[in-house]
Amino acid sequence: MENTKATSQIPSRAIHSGGGGGVCMMSNTWRDEQHPAFINFISTFLTENAFRLNFVPIAPDFIFNCGGSSVAFIFVTSLDPTCISQIFGRVQKLKLQFANLYVVITLPTKEKNDLFVRSYFKFGMELGKPTFVLVKDLEMGFEKMVKIAHSRGVCKREDATAKLKAERKQTVQAVNVFQRVVTSIPGIDNHDANALNQAIGSIEAISKASKEQILENTDLSADKAEVVSRFFRDPKFYLSPKIN
């Protein structure tokens, strides 16, 4: 459970800094249950943070798509004692449908907070599955949702960037290994290695290529094509090279 005090509200510019933006989908049913002034606040806040707002028939109250990450939210604006069973039953159902689900609940008084704590344990909630975000007022609750969605989007982009860098590093390493192996063939230089890589392919493919195939597809001389072809077939060649 995440408890947020009223003094920790995040200004819209803080959420938008570092690259915000995305799509916010709001449930038609949830919208119709709210005061128009709060819907106007949400619309303005999203616009300031470069989010596009769509009203759609969805099971959660909100779904944010940001930076390739999709996050669902249940937003309980009033914890009604007569609806506790319905609220927690819905949480149990939706957590099975959405991998990234958060439950935001406004608890403006100690009585509401106590009611939530009793209900949380009564209905057997598992800590962090899903995460409950407890706030003092409606505006804080929505700002917290946008910040969570934005943060998850940033994390996903950073993960994607890290993976791309790792793939590039592996590619560079593979090219270096290829160059070292192929240039260990007597008389073959880096230009020849690149030509073989582009025209023939992998080391395995080169090892199976005939002299004629090499001559037909590269600018290697007949002598070099002969050396490459023999290198992988004649022990006198493949037992003698030294890789620098």
Side-chain angles (χ1 to χ4, degrees):
M1 289 179 288
E2 183 175 338
N3 202 345
T4 307
K5 297 181 180 180
T7 56
S8 64
Q9 290 193 47
I10 307 299
S12 60
R13 62 179 180 276
I15 296 175
H16 185 46
S17 64
V23 177
C24 171
M25 292 178 281
M26 180 192 298
S27 162
N28 292 328
T29 301
W30 188 91
R31 176 199 60 190
D32 295 341
E33 295 172 348
Q34 311 307 315
H35 192 283
F38 186 41
I39 301 302
N40 288 337
F41 166 82
I42 290 174
S43 178
T44 300
F45 190 82
L46 289 172
T47 299
E48 291 175 352
N49 287 280
F51 278 86
R52 186 172 72 253
L53 175 61
N54 295 331
F55 300 105
V56 290
I58 53 176
D61 297 326
F62 290 87
I63 295 178
F64 283 81
N65 290 320
C66 180
S69 175
S70 182
V71 189
F73 292 89
I74 295 174
F75 192 179
V76 181
T77 57
S78 179
L79 193 62
D80 187 343
T82 63
C83 300
I84 291 293
S85 178
Q86 179 182 349
I87 291 171
F88 280 89
R90 185 169 176 238
V91 170
Q92 294 281 25
K93 179 180 179 180
L94 290 182
K95 77 174 185 178
L96 300 176
Q97 300 176 23
F98 295 90
N100 299 320
L101 176 68
Y102 291 79
V103 183
V104 180
I105 303 182
T106 56
L107 302 173
T109 65
K110 182 180 184 301
E111 290 72 19
K112 291 288 186 180
N113 187 77
D114 291 344
L115 174 61
F116 167 76
V117 172
R118 291 195 302 270
S119 302
Y120 184 89
F121 291 104
K122 176 182 178 181
F123 289 93
M125 292 291 105
E126 185 177 353
L127 189 64
K129 297 181 180 180
T131 297
F132 283 77
V133 182
L134 312 181
V135 296
K136 293 293 186 179
D137 56 58
L138 300 177
E139 291 78 11
M140 182 194 301
F142 189 74
E143 290 183 11
K144 192 68 175 178
M145 287 167 53
V146 175
K147 185 175 182 182
I148 290 170
H150 173 255
S151 297
R152 292 192 68 98
V154 169
C155 289
K156 184 157 187 176
R157 283 195 296 268
E158 290 176 349
D159 288 344
T161 301
K163 289 179 181 178
L164 182 59
K165 288 181 178 178
E167 290 173 358
R168 287 175 178 172
K169 183 177 181 181
Q170 290 176 350
T171 299
V172 171
Q173 291 174 340
V175 170
N176 289 339
V177 170
F178 179 91
Q179 290 275 6
R180 291 181 63 192
V181 170
V182 176
T183 56
S184 71
I185 301 173
I188 302 300
D189 57 25
N190 285 332
H191 171 80
D192 301 328
N194 288 330
L196 288 165
N197 185 20
Q198 294 174 12
I200 307 299
S202 65
I203 293 174
E204 181 181 4
I206 294 172
S207 70
K208 297 177 181 178
S210 65
K211 174 182 176 180
E212 290 71 23
Q213 287 177 308
I214 295 172
L215 285 173
E216 183 180 348
N217 293 286
T218 71
D219 60 357
L220 269 68
S221 66
D223 290 341
K224 288 187 175 183
E226 174 70 21
V227 170
V228 172
S229 179
R230 290 183 59 193
F231 177 81
F232 295 99
R233 296 174 175 81
D234 189 338
K236 292 181 180 179
F237 281 90
Y238 66 68
L239 292 179
S240 63
K242 295 181 180 180
I243 299 178
N244 297 319

